Amino acid sequence: MSKTLFDKIWDRHVVKTIEGGPSVFYIDRHFIHEVTSPQAFKGLQNRGLPVFRPKQVVATADHNVPTINQHLPIREELSRRQVEQLKKNCADFGIELYGLGHPFQGIVHVIGPELGITQPGMTIVCGDSHTSTHGAFGTIGFGIGTSEVEMVLATQCLMQSKPKLMRINVEGSLNKGVVSKDIILHIISLISASGATGYAVEYAGSTIRNLSMEARMTICNMSIEMGARCGMIAPDETTFNYIKGRTFAPRGSDWDKAVEDWKTLYSDEDAVFDSELNVRAEDIEPMITYGTNPGMGVGITGHIPALNDIEEKDRPSFEKSLHYMGLTPGEEMKGKKVDYVFIGSCTNSRIEDLRMVASFVKGKKKAADIEVWVVPGSSQVEKQAIKEGLNQVFEEAGFMLRQSGCSACLGMNEDKIPAGKYCISTSNRNFEGRQGPGARTMLASPLTAAAAAITGIVTDVRELI
Amino acid sequence: MGKAINIIKSRAVPIAIENIDTDQIIPARFLKATTREGFGKNLFRDWRYENDDEQKPKPGFPLNDPKYSGKILIAGENFGCGSSREHAAWAIKDYGFDVVVSSFFADIFKNNALNNFLLPVLVSDAFLRQLFKAVEEDPETLIEVSLEDQYIKIVATGARESFDINHYKKTCLLNGYDDIDYLLNMKEEIEAYEKNHALSYRS
Ligand code: SF4
């Protein structure tokens, strides 16, 4: 029988199926971080349980860490306590921790792939919804809640019902100035912030095949922003070349065996999906969001929808959202004033993203009244950026290169956007208050964000390249 | 072990907004606790207070409106989207809700709710509108939710709709079992699975 990529990996990981209920689903790798794990460890302690497979768990501190002076003790007490609690839990339960000061520290979804921990055919979970990122390797990766973190720590399994399957085909070549972030923002604007709820999404087509691993990760990362359980892309030579030689990648004859196995991971030609969407790459412009969910996006030359374009029942939410953003229905996005630019988050903080921004801004200067933060996704990315001299390019442009962490993506540490200010952000969520109470977020690609940093307004990057 | 739920009869609080994400339910800056308790006071924090000042509740927000109360929260479509933070379910439960009603729930939120004995009741668009109307017109309207018989009913008018819940989860909720109890009983099967599925290239 023909199978989809998802089916192949799913079937390998079902320990048992309960009649009329979910399956007991085996998890290969479990990432944990300081925010969603403490209550899970507490649960284990209350039940007197050890961690079942500590070697399959990897921990890092990312959500709550400062992005300057990481060598000093964390100033904010609650944040410090949370990070210390993680350290203690990892020590008590025998889990490897890449905490602050460790060369492997970084945003959980950046370090997994970077270290070669994320490999095709695996099942990966983390108490963080952007675990879908790992799907770029042909992996089933999804976010879970803290009770589920406890389940996986205790048994390496979860109770899961099989989702429906959707395939999104992107065909053709991308326009100038359009990058993978624009592809995914375009897709979400087409199908809405809930359009893929209940589905596992496979991205396919020539456009996707031609993307680098970093670019593929950006796409899979945002699958959750249309409600999908996970997003995935079949592994190919690009995938194998990326993994080869990384710290935890298989070596020698193991490598050959691995690749042989990974080559079987694709959707069979006649495999059937519950839903399919075709997207033409030529239709995609650089994207920007105007509202308070990632589905509220338009091409950079587009306008915010007029009230008449919105279904009547959706109008109150639409108006509430624009009111929060201080924007008016029907108006153009281009030319809007920008106060902050945030280049970072697990969506766009890999070395490729930083290189893209640096090569664009080289020799340019930021607008006078704008603040620009570049936050690398991991300590390794930071080190590499410095090695390549990108830090100097940023410095000359007036951008601030900080240290690695989630930072202004969720404003849990001190990196917050002040109330009422506009921020173009390469992160994944423009929810009310996401970057700080009252902050107004516009999501865009690293290129579009960099263009705004130079001009101080929402800009069509194509006019500058 | 959680607390079993079965029939809940209560007034309800309506929040007629769509796409309520978990950042609204509990903003990130309140996720610094290392225990599960006490999140209720920060539920919908930024919609509830002006400038984060607890002395200044925003009067228009339903949680601040004295005419609304009860154990049932009624919310617009695509409730609980965004971040996987279980703190959202904890906050709703801690505030005193046992049921959330919507015409669409985000996946992870639904699981998190079920794992915390907070019952997500999925209704049709039409019934959701009926519920909003009934409660907004008469905040003392009683709503009855039966898990055993899988229905939700507006007591005064008798209007009702049945809802789906997976059989396994229903048994757990009715009896106060959780998934960990179930999985722990499967240790041997899990170990057998591991033996049969070991991949030579994977250490
Ligand atoms: S960077 Fe943002 S989205 Fe990614 S893991 Fe951190 S908080 Fe979550």
Side-chain angles (χ1 to χ4, degrees):
Chain A
M1 219 192 72
S2 58
K3 285 181 169 190
T4 64
L5 167 62
F6 184 90
D7 293 327
K8 289 179 183 176
I9 304 174
W10 173 271
D11 291 350
R12 281 182 180 189
H13 290 87
V14 172
V15 177
K16 179 182 170 178
T17 300
I18 302 168
E19 272 288 310
S23 296
V24 177
F25 191 63
Y26 191 81
I27 302 302
D28 293 319
R29 292 289 180 271
H30 183 194
F31 294 109
I32 60 170
H33 61 85
E34 75 277 22
V35 178
T36 57
S37 69
Q39 295 86 351
F41 283 110
K42 186 72 67 56
L44 289 186
Q45 274 158 347
N46 291 344
R47 293 171 197 253
L49 292 171
V51 170
F52 182 55
R53 294 287 179 253
K55 292 214 157 45
Q56 288 167 240
V57 189
V58 176
T60 190
D62 55 2
H63 280 63
N64 212 343
V65 301
T67 55
I68 34 177
N69 291 327
Q70 283 185 347
H71 60 288
L72 298 178
I74 301 178
R75 278 194 300 185
E76 218 257 330
E77 197 199 327
L78 288 175
S79 302
R80 189 177 65 243
R81 265 203 261 159
Q82 211 171 43
V83 171
E84 274 166 8
Q85 187 66 47
L86 178 69
K87 212 173 184 177
K88 180 166 189 315
N89 287 332
C90 287
D92 290 351
F93 287 89
I95 291 168
E96 182 87 39
L97 168 66
Y98 304 140
L100 279 186
H102 194 288
F104 295 166
Q105 180 273 343
I107 305 174
V108 56
H109 312 307
V110 175
I111 68 170
E114 179 178 83
L115 293 169
I117 298 171
T118 301
Q119 295 169 20
M122 284 183 167
T123 51
I124 298 184
V125 295
C126 173
D128 186 284
S129 54
H130 294 97
T131 312
S132 57
T133 312
H134 305 270
F137 290 80
T139 301
I140 296 180
F142 55 91
I144 56 178
T146 298
S147 295
E148 293 170 312
V149 170
E150 187 180 336
M151 276 172 226
V152 181
L153 289 174
T155 66
Q156 209 57 36
C157 287
L158 276 176
M159 310 295 286
Q160 281 292 304
S161 301
K162 195 171 175 180
K164 290 180 285 182
L165 302 179
M166 178 188 297
R167 181 160 59 189
I168 300 181
N169 305 297
V170 190
E171 293 287 352
S173 37
L174 291 169
N175 295 317
K176 184 177 84 164
V178 174
V179 293
S180 70
K181 179 65 161 286
D182 302 307
I183 301 177
I184 189 64
L185 284 174
H186 176 78
I187 291 171
I188 302 170
S189 78
L190 290 178
I191 72 173
S192 92
S194 59
T197 303
Y199 287 91
V201 174
E202 180 178 343
Y203 302 94
S206 60
T207 319
I208 303 289
R209 289 262 77 85
N210 288 330
L211 295 175
S212 69
M213 283 318 293
E214 285 89 346
R216 294 179 189 184
M217 282 186 252
T218 302
I219 291 188
C220 289
N221 174 275
M222 289 194 72
S223 306
I224 181 72
E225 305 312 334
M226 47 191 184
R229 196 82 182 107
C230 64
M232 59 203 311
I233 294 172
D236 58 12
E237 289 301 322
T238 307
T239 321
F240 311 148
N241 290 337
Y242 178 96
I243 299 171
K244 194 165 189 180
R246 290 186 184 264
T247 312
F248 296 103
R251 292 178 196 280
S253 63
D254 279 350
W255 172 258
D256 299 332
K257 275 188 233 154
V259 173
E260 200 183 310
D261 178 44
W262 295 345
K263 283 185 172 161
T264 66
L265 300 174
Y266 55 84
S267 288
D268 296 331
E269 213 153 291
D270 45 355
V272 182
F273 290 81
D274 300 290
S275 169
E276 220 154 338
L277 174 74
N278 294 309
V279 176
R280 294 185 346 153
E282 300 92 275
D283 293 344
I284 308 174
E285 278 199 291
M287 293 288 295
I288 185 116
T289 65
Y290 56 84
T292 54
N293 75 55
M296 301 174 84
V298 282
I300 195 85
T301 61
H303 291 68
I304 299 172
L307 212 50
N308 288 337
D309 302 338
I310 303 291
E311 263 187 68
E312 199 167 323
K313 75 170 181 49
D314 298 335
R315 281 185 203 163
S317 297
F318 176 76
E319 286 185 291
K320 178 177 185 296
S321 174
L322 287 193
H323 175 76
Y324 178 85
M325 290 297 292
L327 297 171
T328 319
E331 72 178 336
E332 193 178 21
M333 282 304 286
K334 240 172 76 174
K336 288 266 163 292
K337 167 102 180 62
V338 178
D339 306 293
Y340 284 78
V341 171
F342 172 61
I343 294 166
S345 91
C346 57
T347 315
N348 283 122
S349 66
R350 299 181 181 81
I351 190 67
E352 186 184 70
D353 300 305
L354 268 51
R355 285 183 191 136
M356 185 189 337
V357 171
S359 80
F360 171 77
V361 301
K362 199 173 168 100
K364 300 187 178 77
K365 278 228 176 323
K366 76 171 182 70
D369 49 356
I370 200 165
E371 191 149 340
V372 187
W373 298 336
V374 182
V375 181
S378 72
S379 298
Q380 296 211 87
V381 170
E382 183 195 354
K383 208 169 132 198
Q384 184 65 26
I386 292 172
K387 195 169 144 202
E388 294 178 19
L390 307 185
N391 55 329
Q392 257 156 1
V393 177
F394 293 140
E395 204 172 299
E396 280 158 23
F399 293 14
M400 187 176 186
L401 178 67
R402 300 170 78 105
Q403 291 174 293
S404 96
C406 294
S407 180
C409 173
L410 88 167
M412 207 172 160
N413 68 354
E414 290 152 331
D415 308 346
K416 293 183 179 61
I417 309 302
K421 297 289 182 197
Y422 289 94
C423 177
I424 290 207
S425 176
T426 67
S427 57
N428 41 48
R429 288 189 171 138
N430 49 354
F431 298 153
E432 282 184 33
R434 172 79 178 182
Q435 298 194 288
R440 291 161 162 171
T441 304
M442 299 180 280
L443 302 176
S445 79
L447 271 184
T448 298
I454 303 303
T455 59
I457 53 176
V458 174
T459 299
D460 186 345
V461 66
R462 292 170 295 189
E463 291 165 10
L464 300 182
I465 49 179
Chain B
M1 274 286 238
K3 220 173 124 262
I5 41 179
N6 187 4
I7 289 195
I8 288 153
K9 193 169 173 182
S10 158
R11 289 165 62 173
V13 180
I15 305 185
I17 298 171
E18 286 158 23
N19 295 313
I20 296 180
D21 59 79
T22 53
D23 273 82
Q24 308 317 315
I25 299 171
I26 180 95
R29 60 190 189 284
F30 301 111
L31 306 185
K32 299 187 187 202
T34 52
T35 60
R36 285 171 181 250
E37 294 80 33
F39 288 99
K41 72 174 194 299
N42 294 318
L43 176 66
F44 291 112
R45 178 71 181 215
D46 293 338
W47 288 354
R48 252 162 97 190
Y49 302 110
E50 297 288 355
N51 312 321
D52 211 3
D53 180 350
E54 280 168 68
Q55 307 306 318
K56 287 193 207 151
K58 293 184 183 172
F61 189 63
L63 287 190
N64 296 333
D65 193 333
K67 68 175 187 268
Y68 296 124
S69 67
K71 293 177 188 298
I72 299 173
L73 176 66
I74 307 174
E77 187 175 80
N78 198 23
F79 185 81
C81 57
S83 155
S84 61
R85 60 189 69 165
E86 193 164 316
H87 312 67
W90 298 336
I92 296 172
K93 187 82 185 174
D94 190 56
Y95 185 88
F97 293 112
D98 288 326
V99 176
V100 194
V101 185
S102 177
S103 56
F104 201 95
F105 288 100
D107 252 358
I108 305 180
F109 176 81
K110 191 166 65 191
N111 278 342
N112 286 342
L114 289 167
N115 284 332
N116 288 282
F117 296 85
L118 171 67
L119 183 64
V121 172
L122 183 70
V123 296
S124 66
D125 268 333
F127 196 72
L128 186 70
R129 277 200 295 276
Q130 257 188 68
L131 285 169
F132 276 133
K133 192 156 173 273
V135 175
E136 281 162 6
E137 279 173 8
D138 176 11
E140 289 185 25
T141 296
L142 288 180
I143 310 289
E144 183 178 293
V145 174
S146 165
L147 172 59
E148 175 90 62
D149 297 322
Q150 294 180 221
Y151 69 79
I152 173 166
K153 178 168 96 178
I154 302 172
V155 176
T157 63
R160 60 186 262 167
E161 194 170 89
S162 53
F163 62 87
D164 272 347
I165 181 164
N166 135 356
H167 179 73
Y168 163 82
K169 264 296 165 196
K170 180 171 167 180
T171 314
C172 289
L173 292 181
L174 286 172
N175 297 295
Y177 302 152
D178 68 20
D179 288 353
I180 300 189
D181 301 329
Y182 183 90
L183 290 170
L184 286 171
N185 283 324
M186 285 200 47
K187 268 259 159 79
E188 281 171 22
E189 280 167 85
I190 296 171
E191 278 164 349
Y193 166 90
E194 286 177 322
K195 275 210 195 80
N196 294 331
H197 287 77
L199 289 175
S200 61
Y201 61 83
R202 208 175 270 173
S203 50

